[in-house]
Amino acid sequence: MREMEFKMERPGLVEVGQHLMVTENRVSTYYYYTVEHAIAMSANFTVTERLKTNSDGRAEGVVKAVEEKPRGYYVLMEFEE
């Protein structure tokens, strides 16, 4: 299992236990992930840190926690790898 954190701009968009899809995107030599449909976004990852996705560049994860921190709202998701 792998856990990843995503930044979310406002509360109430997801709930703990919810199954969500993420999409892999690439900028230069880094990869980032977006919770569909533009709910939250991950940090940048190197090639060796990439999440395993299907042939469409998507992966399904489960929401483990939603937290409010000084810099905003964060979603912790868990993925099977």
Side-chain angles (χ1 to χ4, degrees), residues 5-66:
E5 187 175 68
F6 298 83
K7 173 89 167 56
M8 185 170 63
E9 293 301 317
R10 44 185 217 275
L13 300 177
V14 299
E15 297 177 3
V16 173
Q18 195 172 2
H19 289 253
L20 299 172
M21 296 299 290
V22 297
T23 303
E24 181 179 69
N25 300 287
R26 183 177 172 190
V27 169
S28 185
T29 59
Y30 293 98
Y31 294 83
Y32 67 94
Y33 300 88
T34 306
V35 178
E36 295 182 355
H37 297 277
I39 292 173
M41 186 181 294
S42 73
N44 292 334
F45 295 94
T46 64
V47 172
T48 59
E49 299 171 320
R50 287 174 69 185
L51 177 66
K52 291 185 182 183
T53 60
N54 63 20
S55 60
D56 295 336
R58 298 172 70 207
E60 183 177 357
V62 179
V63 176
K64 289 297 182 185
V66 179

Side-chain angles (χ1 to χ4, degrees), residues 7 67-74:
K7 173 89 167 56
E67 297 180 53
E68 182 178 2
K69 297 182 181 181
R71 295 188 135 216
Y73 298 93
Y74 290 83

